[in-house]
Amino acid sequence: MAFLRTYLSDIYHGARSLLKGMKLTGYYFTHRKEIITQQYPDNKAEMKLPERFRGEVVMLHDENNEHACTGCTACELACPNGTIKIITKIETSPDGKKKKALDTFIYHLELCTMCNLCIQACPTDAIKMAQNFEHSVYDRSQLTKNLNKPGSKIREGVE
Amino acid sequence: MLSIENITHSIDVWLYGTFNPTAALLLESLIVGLCAITLFAVLGLVLVLMERKVSAYMQIRLGPNRVGPGGALQTVADTLKLAMKEGLTPDGADKFLFNLAPFMVIVVAMLILVPVAFAKGTQIWDINIGVLYISAVSSLSVIGILMAGWASNNKYSLLGAMRSGAQIVSYELSAGLSIISIVTLTGSLRISDIIDSQQDGWWLFKGHIPAMISFVIFIIAVTAETNRAPFDLAEAESELTAGFHTEYSGMKFALFFLAEYVNIFIVCAIAATLFLGGWMPLHIGHWTAFNHAMDYIPSSLWFIGKTFFLIFVIMWFRWTFPRLRIDQLLSLEWKYLLPLSLFNLLLMTLISIKGWHF
Amino acid sequence: MIEEIGTTEQGELVVNLGPQHPSTHGVLHLVVTLSGETIKKVEPHLGYIHRSIEKMCESLSYRQFIYVTSRMDYLSSHINNHGCALCVEKGMQIEVPPRAKVIRVLMDELTRLASHQLWWGAMAMDVGALTPFFYAFREREAINDIMEETCGARLTMNYMAPGGVAFDLHPDFQRKVKDFLAFFRTKIDEYDELVTDNIIFQRRMEGIGYLSSEDAISYGCTGPTARGSGVSCDIRKSVPYEVYSQVQFEEVLETGGDCFARYNVRMGEMRQSISIIEQLIDNIPGGEFLAKTKAVLKLPKGEFYSKVETARGEFGVYIISEGGTTPYRIKFRSPGFSNLSALDHMARGHKIGDLVAIMGTLDLVIPDIDR
């Protein structure tokens, strides 16, 4: 008799545990407000990424097309992957002083791991992380970017 | 009133009036065959979409919603994609059996369709051993699965097919015993007789607790027979990648997929016929007014409604439960369901001899 | 025909599970010898995702090498970074500000929660229930959003730096974490309802993959895998780092040694993590979040070792320094590798379905094993 009792209670408890799970999925089935799907390409307008999100490295330019990069190569040294390559030139200022300045800031997006070390290393806050994350292109050479805009020069007073 | 019965009857009369009897019979068979194939295609599309939507809502997702209004054409697009794909036959496979297997499975699914009553007077063949025919033919689908698993020349397929063999053969027993327990009440194997006997109430309610027990056992057994989760060991995605149809691609894969869903439809239709009165509207004893009101809903809607409710329940199982292990699957059948259904059959026989049912 | 489909001479079937297989969570390759459905032998083959991270670290400076470790056990990347930062701080004798210590522990515990949530979903998926995976991801997404706001990334954060953390907490951090904990407390009960109490799941777990405490020690298992066998090995308790000695929490121990014991350990750990976060979230001290360090870090000549408790077990960092700016040799002791070594022992005599369940309870992350 004891055998029969355990046999039947087995069936009862088993069935009960199964119904409990079905109750939960049934709840979600009937409650559409619980749906968490984001319809990605459609919700681009209201999609807001946090300010700190690391998508790609950009160089800040003001309205006069001036940036703050001195070409000190601190970011190049800080980068673990060789993502950044800085080419400098010697500029002569109007009063005749020779000074090292940035010529080209080459950024290999395809090598970048978004570790943020270059941003932390920059002494003049010339570069920062942007929130753009849609980087796919058809040709990988397009991923090698030149961060300083053409014709830009260093802002006055940045050493 | 326009009903399917009238339409089929007028077509029948017209055919026999226009052609000689042989030609009329041939033409009728042709029409029925076309209807069956159309039904298959539509069922496949609808059920796959339903499964994807049900699973999505249970999993707090939206499901397909890009192709067509609300994603309604998603399965059509999927079918087109599958039709375009190359049907690969793996190296070292038994080519004949490999290509035969999906057709075997689909033909078996078509054969079971024969005695199913879709609406009042709409039945392909009201064979006098209807229920026996169903249980006999449905066990043939295992041959197709074993064939596919063996011929694929793939270890996963072989394991899946062997599992499926053990599973279907075992669960046939419980399904058969549940069917018999209803047959003891009706005293007939003919589908139309079974439905007629539920004129004053469905067997699920008329047959007391034994009928409910055999209904539950039948649902469990057919879930296992159609290889649905939690009994989907033949496919067992996380263990055997895709089980017996691992090597299939393109339209041959689509046939397996279609057969799975059509099989679900058919077993649910049979469950609805045996326990929920088939196309018979909900009648309660001698409440004539109520019964009359219920008759206003067309019989085909009753049938579709009941069947799709059962399909939903089976989908609900799938998206809630973990999979059983092969030995647990067999011990569930042989240690729990089989003794229970044997005992239940005894009770049911007692009830029907004593006439205790309503 | 039998020979064609590949069997051994004893009539045993040799099946390759992986490297492309739905249940191996990556590119693990298991050569399984079967007799029917029963497992005779399991042989893991590694190397499919080997990136020689240890060698790579030898050419990176002490600031740079930390970010690489996020790519090992990507589900507990914070904790990996933490272990490396601790080792560098030990060598340089940097005093970490108290605020940074608390932030680090908070982040570690959030990471542990996220990792265990993903494990729970994947575990249920391994035994055939697909729905829990989505529920788990809903909660994990909430944690990821919090992480994204403070650390700027969702998976490979690189938030720990030698001397503290890279940024201060986001102003919304405390509020959001509290909201999340209130939300998650209700959801973890749903986890129990849906999976833990389920009879099928329990039958799939109980008595499967038994690992005795002696075996757990001799295979070098750590983390929930060993604690499921009753081996007390929580680094947070035995060698407390940061502020773990000041918070109240229990080391979850189960004595069963089977899959269900390991499962319960992780479920218990989720609750303990919630309690740790709740104790700390209102008590974050003010002050600096990053200690002042030299621009170029140089570890003195010598050998340094530090260990932390990741979501999978003990993660050790061993640095040999010659006094330069880069390490001479780095060795990572990853928990997954040792835990995987016990798989053969656990799986023998069980069915294929059980092998998948056992792998699920080991919570394997393949890049952590291969490095």
Side-chain angles (χ1 to χ4, degrees):
Chain A
M1 213 53 209
F3 161 75
L4 198 66
R5 194 174 301 131
T6 48
Y7 181 83
L8 287 178
S9 83
D10 256 17
I11 294 178
Y12 170 73
H13 288 293
R16 207 167 147 248
S17 76
L18 297 181
L19 288 177
K20 226 163 71 178
M22 282 176 73
K23 198 181 128 206
L24 186 72
T25 44
Y27 169 82
Y28 282 117
F29 181 74
T30 47
H31 288 70
R32 297 289 148 84
K33 66 173 174 17
E34 301 273 358
I35 288 177
I36 49 163
T37 307
Q38 293 182 12
Q39 305 225 44
Y40 160 57
D42 299 343
N43 71 349
K44 259 185 191 168
E46 64 261 32
M47 197 174 59
K48 204 172 148 284
L49 283 164
E51 197 192 332
R52 290 181 188 174
F53 180 78
R54 307 200 285 265
E56 64 172 332
V57 177
V58 292
M59 184 175 277
L60 297 167
H61 288 75
D62 60 11
E63 62 276 10
N64 303 326
N65 203 14
E66 287 174 343
H67 57 74
C69 181
T70 57
C72 68
T73 70
C75 49
E76 191 180 338
L77 290 172
C79 183
N81 314 311
T83 304
I84 296 169
K85 178 83 191 123
I86 287 175
I87 300 170
T88 52
K89 60 186 176 192
I90 302 295
E91 251 179 16
T92 322
S93 57
D95 49 337
K97 271 191 200 156
K98 286 209 167 134
K99 205 172 125 194
K100 199 168 86 170
L102 177 72
D103 181 53
T104 322
F105 191 111
I106 298 170
Y107 171 55
H108 294 276
L109 182 57
E110 77 270 30
L111 299 179
C112 185
T113 56
M114 319 298 166
C115 68
N116 208 37
L117 288 175
C118 52
I119 315 291
Q120 282 167 337
C122 183
T124 55
D125 291 335
I127 45 175
K128 79 175 202 58
M129 280 286 178
Q131 276 75 52
N132 174 30
F133 59 93
E134 290 158 320
H135 295 309
S136 48
V137 286
Y138 283 102
D139 184 2
R140 71 180 276 180
S141 66
Q142 287 168 19
L143 289 172
T144 306
K145 295 183 177 179
N146 189 356
L147 288 192
N148 54 331
K149 289 184 186 162
S152 63
K153 60 177 195 294
I154 189 163
R155 198 175 300 141
E156 284 298 310
V158 176
E159 289 301 324
Chain B
M1 204 170 86
L2 190 74
S3 75
I4 301 177
E5 192 183 13
N6 294 343
I7 298 169
T8 51
H9 185 71
S10 55
I11 292 173
D12 186 54
V13 168
W14 180 77
L15 278 172
Y16 276 91
T18 324
F19 303 100
N20 66 43
T22 322
L25 189 67
L26 279 175
L27 275 171
E28 226 165 38
S29 310
L30 194 71
I31 292 169
V32 166
L34 279 175
C35 285
I37 289 171
T38 320
L39 181 75
F40 259 51
V42 172
L43 271 182
L45 297 180
V46 169
L47 288 177
V48 173
L49 185 70
M50 176 177 165
E51 171 111 280
R52 291 183 65 176
K53 277 290 187 190
V54 166
S55 71
Y57 288 140
M58 282 184 181
Q59 297 172 341
I60 48 175
R61 296 184 286 122
L62 281 173
N65 64 347
R66 295 288 153 140
V67 190
L73 297 176
Q74 180 66 49
T75 44
V76 179
D78 288 347
T79 316
L80 276 177
K81 184 206 78 176
L82 283 171
M84 305 281 186
K85 277 175 95 168
E86 185 186 358
L88 283 171
T89 307
D91 234 17
D94 188 329
K95 287 202 175 48
F96 177 68
L97 289 184
F98 183 82
N99 291 318
L100 183 66
F103 294 99
M104 181 91 191
V105 172
I106 206 96
V107 163
V108 168
M110 278 186 166
L111 282 178
I112 320 176
L113 210 61
V114 169
V116 175
F118 293 97
K120 197 175 181 199
T122 311
Q123 205 172 351
I124 296 174
W125 185 20
D126 193 10
I127 182 174
N128 62 352
I129 50 157
V131 175
L132 181 65
Y133 173 86
I134 288 168
S135 35
V137 173
S138 66
S139 50
L140 283 179
S141 67
V142 69
I143 296 176
I145 291 175
L146 280 173
M147 215 184 248
W150 176 254
S152 290
N153 190 22
N154 179 314
K155 292 172 220 173
Y156 291 131
S157 305
L158 184 65
L159 281 169
M162 290 303 153
R163 282 177 173 192
S164 174
Q167 179 181 338
I168 293 180
V169 168
S170 309
Y171 278 83
E172 277 289 307
L173 282 170
S174 303
L177 284 171
S178 305
I179 291 176
I180 290 175
S181 68
I182 292 300
V183 170
T184 54
L185 288 171
T186 60
S188 170
L189 295 168
R190 190 190 288 269
I191 294 281
S192 56
D193 286 352
I194 292 175
I195 293 172
D196 283 340
S197 71
Q198 305 185 58
Q199 207 151 30
D200 52 348
W202 301 343
W203 281 123
L204 183 64
F205 307 126
K206 285 203 299 177
H208 300 291
I209 293 169
M212 292 189 187
I213 293 175
S214 59
F215 177 66
V216 171
I217 291 176
F218 186 75
I219 290 291
I220 295 173
V222 295
T223 313
E225 244 187 275
T226 47
N227 287 322
R228 296 277 299 176
F231 309 104
D232 60 341
L233 285 122
E235 311 179 9
E237 198 217 344
S238 61
E239 296 157 29
L240 302 178
T241 56
F244 63 91
H245 58 60
T246 306
E247 293 286 355
Y248 284 88
S249 61
M251 225 36 215
K252 278 180 271 180
F253 166 75
L255 285 183
F256 274 120
F257 211 61
L258 182 65
E260 183 191 332
Y261 283 96
V262 172
N263 274 328
I264 298 162
F265 176 81
I266 289 167
V267 294
C268 287
I270 290 159
T273 308
L274 292 176
F275 296 93
L276 302 174
W279 50 261
M280 189 64 77
L282 177 63
H283 288 171
I284 300 174
H286 302 292
W287 300 9
T288 326
F290 176 79
N291 293 351
H292 203 65
M294 283 294 167
D295 285 341
Y296 274 106
I297 302 171
S299 58
S300 50
L301 276 191
W302 276 105
F303 174 76
I304 301 258
K306 289 168 192 175
T307 309
F308 272 76
F309 171 72
L310 291 179
I311 292 173
F312 172 72
V313 169
I314 284 184
M315 286 181 180
W316 196 355
F317 289 159
R318 172 164 180 184
W319 300 109
T320 309
F321 300 143
R323 184 182 306 121
L324 276 83
R325 204 168 58 220
I326 182 74
D327 56 323
Q328 289 167 340
L329 178 94
L330 296 178
S331 73
L332 172 72
E333 162 65 17
W334 294 99
K335 285 187 186 160
Y336 291 88
L337 293 186
L338 190 62
L340 210 63
S341 47
L342 280 171
F343 180 69
N344 195 44
L345 181 62
L346 202 69
L347 272 182
M348 196 60 125
T349 322
L350 195 69
I351 284 175
S352 70
I353 290 172
K354 291 278 181 186
W356 283 340
H357 60 85
F358 297 113
Chain C
M1 197 73 188
I2 292 289
E3 289 77 28
E4 275 177 36
I5 58 169
T7 54
T8 62
E9 277 154 23
Q10 293 82 32
E12 289 165 342
L13 194 66
V14 182
V15 177
N16 289 299
L17 235 69
Q20 304 293 332
H21 190 272
S23 72
T24 52
H25 304 294
V27 284
L28 179 64
H29 179 191
L30 297 173
V31 181
V32 187
T33 311
L34 297 170
S35 166
E37 283 257 342
T38 313
I39 292 164
K40 293 282 166 198
K41 204 171 97 186
V42 181
E43 203 182 314
H45 283 196
L46 301 178
Y48 289 94
I49 195 160
H50 190 87
R51 294 145 299 170
S52 67
I53 282 182
E54 288 173 10
K55 190 73 192 165
M56 220 156 89
C57 290
E58 289 171 17
S59 56
L60 294 176
S61 79
Y62 290 110
R63 270 187 217 286
Q64 289 172 341
F65 90 94
I66 290 176
Y67 95 97
V68 188
T69 54
S70 307
R71 273 87 181 158
M72 290 166 50
D73 184 353
Y74 48 79
L75 290 181
S76 41
S77 58
H78 259 313
I79 314 182
N80 286 356
N81 293 351
H82 193 173
C84 300
L86 275 181
C87 197
V88 175
E89 280 152 17
K90 206 179 197 175
M92 296 284 293
Q93 286 167 350
I94 301 168
E95 186 54 40
V96 180
R99 183 176 173 80
K101 282 187 178 178
V102 174
I103 293 176
R104 281 178 170 187
V105 169
L106 278 171
M107 288 298 178
D108 279 7
E109 292 308 316
L110 280 175
T111 311
R112 196 183 313 280
L113 270 181
S115 171
H116 281 350
Q117 281 160 358
L118 181 67
W119 157 80
W120 179 78
M123 167 89 240
M125 204 161 70
D126 281 344
V127 293
L130 295 167
T131 306
F133 194 70
F134 292 90
Y135 297 168
F137 258 81
R138 173 187 52 193
E139 277 82 73
R140 187 168 187 273
E141 203 65 11
I143 292 183
N144 274 351
D145 285 343
I146 293 170
M147 293 283 188
E148 193 181 10
E149 219 172 48
T150 292
C151 317
R154 299 170 73 85
L155 195 67
T156 51
M157 286 87 166
N158 192 30
Y159 183 56
M160 310 277 177
V165 291
F167 323 104
D168 204 356
L169 289 176
H170 193 272
D172 285 345
F173 180 79
Q174 273 165 305
R175 183 178 58 80
K176 289 212 168 164
V177 169
K178 277 183 211 159
D179 285 354
F180 165 73
L181 289 183
F183 168 72
F184 185 53
R185 271 198 184 280
T186 62
K187 295 301 169 198
I188 196 163
D189 294 336
E190 282 186 5
Y191 286 16
D192 282 343
E193 230 170 89
L194 187 60
V195 173
T196 318
D197 293 346
N198 189 304
I199 181 92
I200 303 175
F201 184 77
Q202 286 182 4
R203 293 284 161 89
R204 282 294 303 271
M205 293 283 120
E206 278 165 1
I208 301 302
Y210 178 71
L211 186 70
S212 68
S213 43
E214 289 82 14
D215 287 331
I217 292 170
S218 53
Y219 277 107
C221 295
T222 47
T225 311
R227 287 199 283 281
S229 305
V231 181
S232 168
C233 60
D234 197 331
I235 309 291
R236 294 175 293 170
K237 277 278 181 203
S238 56
V239 196
Y241 49 97
E242 310 296 17
V243 291
Y244 277 117
S245 52
Q246 293 154 34
V247 289
Q248 300 290 319
F249 71 101
E250 276 167 35
E251 178 174 3
V252 188
L253 278 178
E254 292 272 338
T255 47
D258 58 358
C259 285
F260 202 50
R262 292 191 280 276
Y263 175 87
N264 281 333
V265 167
R266 288 202 171 87
M267 293 307 273
E269 278 192 4
M270 278 202 239
R271 293 198 159 84
Q272 293 301 324
S273 289
I274 294 178
S275 121
I276 293 175
I277 297 172
E278 274 176 348
Q279 288 170 46
L280 289 176
I281 190 69
D282 283 323
N283 302 314
I284 306 175
E288 286 289 302
F289 58 87
L290 185 63
K292 290 267 176 293
T293 49
K294 284 181 208 141
V296 179
L297 297 179
K298 273 187 186 169
L299 251 68
K301 195 172 161 66
E303 297 174 12
F304 308 97
Y305 184 74
S306 70
K307 51 186 178 180
V308 286
E309 179 78 15
T310 72
R312 267 149 280 277
E314 178 185 332
F315 175 72
V317 183
Y318 178 57
I319 300 181
I320 303 178
S321 172
E322 295 273 85
T325 55
T326 57
Y328 174 72
R329 171 85 169 94
I330 277 195
K331 163 84 182 128
F332 296 116
R333 187 253 182 243
S334 67
F337 187 76
S338 316
N339 290 352
L340 177 68
S341 66
L343 179 65
D344 180 42
H345 178 78
M346 285 192 258
R348 277 189 192 204
H350 290 303
K351 305 275 186 287
I352 308 175
D354 297 330
L355 174 67
V356 177
I358 294 168
M359 280 203 293
T361 54
L362 287 181
D363 195 6
L364 300 176
V365 169
I366 312 305
D368 177 43
I369 297 165
D370 254 354
R371 300 197 288 286

